[in-house]
């Protein structure tokens, strides 16, 4: 089955800096890659996603890049703000029948002002 | 449109007991997935149902089971509870069978004593 590795597990940045979180996956046929943000005590919520026919997608301060050859994708947050502090999860949905959305173990991002 | 609803929100059970958790997906969504969330382990996939059929199962013992009803509502059951089963159990519903956003419920916090 699909295996998703996420790094780093914790990330501390100063307000205004950029943050990058990287995930690698094992199934080369996977073609849907979402990122979720989970604030303390709340449910995970989708912040951005990318499909395999696109190399990069941007939404204001958030961007995701995908390298299908190397089987990795990354979340980029620019001009970080204290409200960006949360746990971020990458996920992968395989392309085979019977697959499901598999998550990385998460990155705790702390933005200090 | 109402979001994903999970009941109950909190549960305290004794070792050896069994428990049933409920998830009502967003109206029109036929896919329901269940995840176990514990500190440091992220979101571990339990199983996924689509149109009353279990399509995929994660690496959990047979004490964990689930089902889905014709109205897409889903239940998961854990028998012979162990202390290590204490976790936040999240369900997520999706509008399509794969490669699509998953919307999470608020979760059920299970404590086994």
């Amino acid at each position: 089955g699909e295996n998703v590795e996420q790094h780093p597990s914790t990330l501390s940045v100063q307000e205004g800096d950029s943050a990058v979180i990287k995930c690698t996956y094992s199934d080369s046929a996977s073609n849907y890659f979402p990122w979720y943000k989970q604030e303390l005590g709340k449910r995970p919520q989708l912040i951005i996603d990318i499909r395999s026919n696109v190399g990069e997608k941007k939404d204001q301060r958030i961007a995701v890049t995908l390298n299908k050859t190397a089987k990795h994708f990354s979340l980029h947050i620019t001009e970080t703000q204290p409200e960006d502090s949360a746990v971020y999860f990458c996920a992968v949905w395989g392309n085979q029948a019977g697959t499901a959305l598999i998550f990385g173990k998460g990155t705790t991002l702390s933005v200090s002002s | 449109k109402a979001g994903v609803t999970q009941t109950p929100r909190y549960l305290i059970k004794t070792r050896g007991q069994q428990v049933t958790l409920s998830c009502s997906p967003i109206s029109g969504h036929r896919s329901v997935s269940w995840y176990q969330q514990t500190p440091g382990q992220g979101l571990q996939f339990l199983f996924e149902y689509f149109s009353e059929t279990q399509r995929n199962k994660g690496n959990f013992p047979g004490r964990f089971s689930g089902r889905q009803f014709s109205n897409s509502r889903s239940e998961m059951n854990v028998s012979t509870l162990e202390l290590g089963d204490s976790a936040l159990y999240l369900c997520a519903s999706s509008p399509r069978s794969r490669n699509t956003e998953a919307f999470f419920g608020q979760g059920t916090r299970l404590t086994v004593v």
Side-chain angles (χ1 to χ4, degrees):
Chain A
E2 181 69 84
N3 186 43
V4 183
E5 300 276 343
Q6 183 172 344
H7 297 282
S9 56
T10 60
L11 182 57
S12 295
V13 300
Q14 290 284 115
E15 183 177 1
D17 287 349
S18 294
V20 180
I21 304 169
K22 182 176 175 178
C23 285
T24 59
Y25 59 98
S26 58
D27 184 358
S28 58
S30 299
N31 57 15
Y32 179 64
F33 309 90
W35 285 89
Y36 284 79
K37 175 184 180 181
Q38 186 177 29
E39 296 176 350
L40 192 62
K42 296 190 176 180
R43 72 189 80 188
Q45 291 197 300
L46 180 77
I47 54 172
I48 195 166
D49 57 9
I50 192 168
R51 297 183 186 277
S52 58
N53 58 347
V54 175
E56 183 175 359
K57 185 177 179 181
K58 200 171 179 181
D59 183 4
Q60 299 182 1
R61 296 186 297 109
I62 293 173
V64 56
T65 57
L66 171 65
N67 184 326
K68 283 220 73 180
T69 304
K71 291 189 284 187
H72 68 72
F73 58 112
S74 299
L75 177 71
H76 304 255
I77 306 175
T78 58
E79 299 171 27
T80 54
Q81 300 167 4
E83 52 264 38
D84 294 329
S85 297
V87 181
Y88 292 81
F89 294 96
C90 64
V92 178
W93 203 309
N95 196 33
Q96 299 170 29
T99 56
L101 194 58
I102 303 301
F103 286 80
K105 291 192 175 182
T107 296
T108 301
L109 174 64
S110 300
V111 181
S112 52
S113 55
Chain B
K1 225 179 206 183
V4 180
T5 304
Q6 290 188 245
T7 56
R9 292 289 311 280
Y10 303 92
L11 264 178
I12 300 176
K13 290 285 187 179
T14 304
R15 259 186 316 174
Q17 287 186 313
Q18 75 165 16
V19 67
T20 299
L21 313 182
S22 179
C23 173
S24 292
I26 293 170
S27 177
H29 287 194
R30 292 158 61 193
S31 171
V32 174
S33 299
W34 288 89
Y35 295 87
Q36 182 193 66
Q37 186 173 30
T38 54
Q41 291 300 311
L43 294 155
Q44 292 186 283
F45 173 69
L46 281 155
F47 26 68
E48 187 249 351
Y49 288 87
F50 184 82
S51 294
E52 302 179 65
T53 300
Q54 185 183 90
R55 298 193 305 172
N56 200 5
K57 191 176 192 300
N59 190 25
F60 277 82
R63 299 185 296 107
F64 292 81
S65 62
R67 58 179 175 168
Q68 186 180 34
F69 302 94
S70 59
N71 62 357
S72 293
R73 189 178 71 86
S74 178
E75 289 181 346
M76 69 163 280
N77 184 77
V78 187
S79 62
T80 320
L81 283 166
E82 300 177 359
L83 296 178
D85 297 333
S86 295
L88 179 67
Y89 290 88
L90 290 159
C91 83
S93 77
S94 299
R96 293 179 291 279
S97 62
R98 69 168 73 114
N99 297 327
T100 180
E101 179 179 358
F103 296 82
F104 281 89
Q106 290 183 293
T108 294
R109 172 73 64 185
L110 172 64
T111 302
V112 182
V113 297

